[in-house]
Amino acid sequence: MTESEFLQQAEATLSQIEATLEALANTSDLDVECTRSGNVLEIEFVDNGTKIIVNSQAPMQELWVAAKSGGFHFKAQGSKWINHRDDGAELFSALSQMVSQQGGIDVILHDAK
């Protein structure tokens, strides 16, 4: 994958995560605020002050996630982002678990693809 292709796929993924969480904040009891600064998406859980940070790392061609449960590295495999260091989890599935844990309600995030 070229750097340009990576950046395009990473941008689309960060935008999808942000849009999905903002929609859930408007239609459910999930109280999150998303802040975007370039390649960094900060997800703040208003009720408890915790955060999840998702950012792209172009040199490594990875998306990194930092949450209460730990730090995770996802690499593109086709149209999916897979945790290649730990359990092989898919990004949206893993984020669903992290957001559910930190947000206190069950959340399912889907890849728009």
Side-chain angles (χ1 to χ4, degrees), residues 54-113:
V54 184
N55 69 305
S56 64
Q57 294 292 322
M60 304 297 293
Q61 292 199 349
E62 296 177 344
L63 287 180
W64 290 3
V65 177
K68 281 181 72 173
S69 57
F72 307 92
H73 297 233
F74 295 84
K75 196 162 198 69
Q77 291 184 1
S79 65
K80 304 246 184 242
W81 294 94
I82 304 298
N83 181 343
H84 67 95
R85 288 191 170 184
D86 294 317
D87 58 4
E90 189 274 328
L91 173 65
F92 284 87
S93 175
L95 266 178
S96 294
Q97 292 176 355
M98 293 174 215
V99 171
S100 295
Q101 178 188 17
Q102 288 183 230
I105 67 168
D106 288 336
V107 172
I108 298 175
L109 302 175
H110 296 283
D111 188 350
K113 295 174 188 158

